[in-house]
Amino acid sequence: MSEGVRVNQAKTTDEIFSDLAVLSRAASGWCVHNPNVAAIVYNADGQFVAEGAHKKKISDEHAEVVALKQAGAKARGGTLYVSLEPCNHSGTTGPCTEVIKESGIQRVVYALADPNPIASGGAQALRSAGIDVIFQRSAVLEFEQRAWLFRVNNGRPLITAKVAVTLDGYISAKDGTSKWITSEESRHDVQRLRAQVGAVVTSTETFIVDKPSLLPRIDGAPTPERIVVGNRNVSAEGFIHLQSRDLEALIGSLNKSGINHALVESGGTFLSALMSRDLVDELVIYQAPKILGSGKAWIADLGIASLSDAIQWESLGTYQIGPDVKTHYRRVRS
């Protein structure tokens, strides 16, 4: 099984949903416009048969179709587990509900109702065809599909900022040196982040100083759209250069490309501009066990004068990455 999903005979629905989450996460960098849906088929005897994920950059086929094609006749009488309610409309492809009906599947278990009114209604269509349909909400799968959900609900991509800092909050020393603040293990982990997003964004200042490729250095990984933002002239082959400080131009470019999730890797000036416009939705901070005492801070003055006006975040998890500590935060909005 290509994405590392375990094969066992007796699994709970939650365990199968965890397997779907692995598939969904691996597919996230391959999806534009559409959600990173995953599907798994078990036969009538409860044995694993096939799996599939939607990878728009490779194929228009939805996850259910990929999995059911793999399963073939073995799907008949079996169960389809899917991270999102199967679609019931014709777009680039036909309705997934029709493929499910034709496959002979007797039971469908899904984890998230489709919030898109154009595509919703799949569960009811399947029930009307005599298929047993069960909705079992999964916070794990909702999290893995959060970028697409955010774009559907907010009209723009989810934006995550990645920061590598010392214990005292600096991204470079007084003399400008910054390679490397964090460990090789943390830098490898960043490659996984890049592979899971549709675009990686930086500023012209960071591009000139660091000359980052912003490509995930992982064999076979999808290539994100790479964007440089700022007025300064740069030679950025393979990048989209938005020669403007207008952040609306950035959002417009991301929306035009159908990006669900964008990762920002920049210095404090650009990141602070995004923060001041409330355009950072998640933070991933890699903190190295080093102290500089002075240098360049990862965030600039945001004009916040009182503690009561502080920008609020909640922790999604803290992890040891080599000698460093990685913390994932989500913006708390009222």
Side-chain angles (χ1 to χ4, degrees), residues 10-221:
K11 282 194 174 185
T12 66
T13 298
D14 283 340
E15 288 175 325
I16 294 171
F17 279 178
S18 292
D19 291 341
L20 285 174
V22 174
L23 294 170
S24 180
R25 190 180 314 123
S28 58
W30 295 101
C31 292
V32 289
H33 295 288
N34 295 346
N36 49 315
V37 179
I40 294 176
V41 178
Y42 279 76
N43 66 16
D45 296 324
Q47 304 293 315
F48 169 86
V49 173
E51 66 186 31
H54 179 53
K55 297 182 178 181
K56 177 68 175 178
K57 291 181 179 179
I58 298 175
S59 169
D60 288 329
E61 289 187 336
H62 290 189
E64 302 95 316
V65 176
V66 174
L68 289 169
K69 276 189 174 181
Q70 276 188 27
K74 295 178 182 178
R76 188 163 298 279
T79 301
L80 172 69
Y81 295 87
V82 62
S83 59
L84 180 69
E85 178 185 7
C87 71
N88 191 42
H89 81 298
S90 293
T92 308
T93 65
C96 288
T97 50
E98 293 303 314
V99 177
I100 295 169
K101 292 175 192 177
E102 293 168 3
S103 71
I105 281 285
Q106 288 299 301
R107 185 169 174 256
V108 173
V109 183
Y110 70 100
L112 186 66
D114 197 327
N116 186 344
I118 297 174
S120 63
Q124 186 54 51
L126 293 172
R127 289 190 183 102
S128 297
I131 296 173
D132 183 22
V133 180
I134 297 172
F135 167 65
Q136 181 171 318
R137 183 178 178 274
S138 167
V140 171
L141 285 169
E142 187 171 323
F143 179 80
E144 293 301 339
Q145 296 169 109
R146 71 194 184 284
W148 174 75
L149 288 169
F150 185 93
R151 190 167 71 85
V152 169
N153 292 324
N154 296 277
R156 68 167 177 84
L158 182 78
I159 297 177
T160 296
K162 183 275 294 182
V163 185
V165 299
T166 61
L167 288 177
D168 47 349
Y170 293 108
I171 59 173
S172 66
K174 200 170 184 178
D175 65 358
T177 55
S178 62
K179 295 182 179 179
W180 297 101
I181 284 179
T182 51
S183 65
E184 183 177 350
E185 292 93 335
S186 288
R187 298 196 299 276
H188 179 73
D189 195 67
V190 171
Q191 308 311 309
R192 295 194 305 105
L193 288 183
R194 292 176 180 175
Q196 291 169 7
V197 299
V200 184
V201 182
T202 194
S203 64
T204 50
E205 178 186 8
T206 299
F207 187 83
I208 290 168
V209 173
D210 294 340
K211 298 178 176 59
S213 76
L214 303 184
L215 290 170
R217 294 187 291 274
I218 300 173
D219 289 343

